[in-house]
Amino acid sequence: MTFSPVLTFNDGNTIPQLGYGVWQVEDDVAEKVVVQAFEAGFRHIDTARIYGNEAGVGRAITRSGLLPEDIFITTKLWNADQGYESTLKAFEESMERLGLETLDLYLIHWMQPKQDKYVDTWKALIELQKQGRVKTIGVSNFTKEGLQRLIDETGVVPAINQIELHPFFNQAGLREFHASKGILTEAWSPLGQGGELLESAVIGQIAAKHNATPAQVVIAWHLAIGNVVIPKSVTEARIRENHAALDVSLDETVVQAINGLDNSAEGAGRIGADPAVSDFA
Ligand code: NAD
């Protein structure tokens, strides 16, 4: 079986570049599909407090018989728990549900600019890392300005920023900023949530030429441009198909053709909320 290559964080730890995401998966279903993902070869799982399936992920880890050192687990602090003390408490509750002693990666889920508690929240993540409770700390849905503020006010550079990113919204500017600061880029909704993107003619033609599926081509593009990528599926055949994208390799011309699908110059492409202006309850 092929396993994902790893990328190295700015703190020296590593992350499998290809992972498996479980947003919108019920807790009992999560247990089943995460076991299937482990069987398909995934070793990196992306969950969050707000997904309501940390316990299901925890049961899948136990059922799989895999050792903690052989897997990589990410969870995220929900917006309502931002703030120093509340973050420390929410972290322990997530760990209880996951059934883990140490977490591989803890992320602030959204920046919440109006709430404006993300610097204090980041200080709590720094403390958790100091205590050895979490190996690596990072953020999700942060803008350049938000990242720069964390760096300026704490001196600790997030290891990763998990953001919406797919060929229709490829975030070239933010990726360049990340690279300049030593921050890894992680792509959420990497398949564009499975809609129009996978039906696009360009992706279809590339897939036919590579004897691959459209989803595999998109995942291979993420891997080629250096993203950490966490496609979701609850269908076992697709879970296997998505993992097998590791065997698809795209040359530079093909990568450039997919880069050309970005729609952001036209103000389009984004599926989810804009982190610069969104504050969720
Ligand atoms: P995705 O882009 O991974 O698309 C998933 C959908 O694509 C599936 O539901 C299915 O309809 C389709 N699909 C999957 N595999 C396929 C295949 N092989 N062939 C055809 N169709 C296929 O969308 P997502 O779930 O939004 O994103 C992936 C993960 O990213 C989430 O599960 C979650 O872990 C993470 N995420 C994080 C945030 C955040 O705010 N940090 C937001 C959204 C998602």
Side-chain angles (χ1 to χ4, degrees), residues 32-52:
K32 184 183 87 177
V33 295
V34 169
V35 168
Q36 290 173 352
F38 285 140
E39 285 167 0
F42 285 97
R43 291 293 178 269
H44 161 190
I45 308 297
D46 181 85
T47 182
R49 160 72 188 95
I50 198 66
Y51 300 170

Side-chain angles (χ1 to χ4, degrees), residues 75-127:
T75 194
K76 314 183 192 86
L77 175 90
W78 186 238
N79 305 335
D81 296 319
Q82 283 211 33
Y84 190 87
E85 292 299 333
S86 43
T87 294
L88 298 179
K89 181 166 176 282
F91 174 78
E92 291 307 330
E93 290 166 359
S94 280
M95 294 300 274
E96 187 94 353
R97 283 186 292 271
L98 284 162
L100 295 173
E101 286 300 315
T102 313
L103 184 68
D104 295 291
L105 178 63
Y106 201 35
L107 304 179
I108 303 177
H109 205 144
W110 288 85
M111 195 166 87
Q112 299 283 95
K114 291 193 215 85
Q115 186 175 279
D116 196 22
K117 289 185 183 169
Y118 61 86
V119 175
D120 271 353
T121 306
W122 184 238
K123 288 178 181 165
L125 264 62
I126 294 169
E127 177 59 25

Side-chain angles (χ1 to χ4, degrees), residues 20-25 45-48 51 76 78 107-110 140-141 162-166 187-195 197-198 213-216 219 230-235 237-239 241-242 271:
Y20 174 72
V22 289
W23 180 39
Q24 294 178 315
V25 181
I45 308 297
D46 181 85
T47 182
Y51 300 170
K76 314 183 192 86
W78 186 238
L107 304 179
I108 303 177
H109 205 144
W110 288 85
S140 177
N141 299 302
Q162 184 185 116
I163 52 174
E164 179 179 347
L165 199 173
H166 42 78
W188 64 250
S189 294
L191 303 174
Q193 297 184 2
L197 174 65
L198 299 183
T213 66
Q216 287 176 329
I219 295 166
I230 46 171
K232 171 220 168 181
S233 172
V234 290
T235 309
R238 283 178 170 177
I239 294 173
E241 173 188 327
N242 293 348
I271 302 170

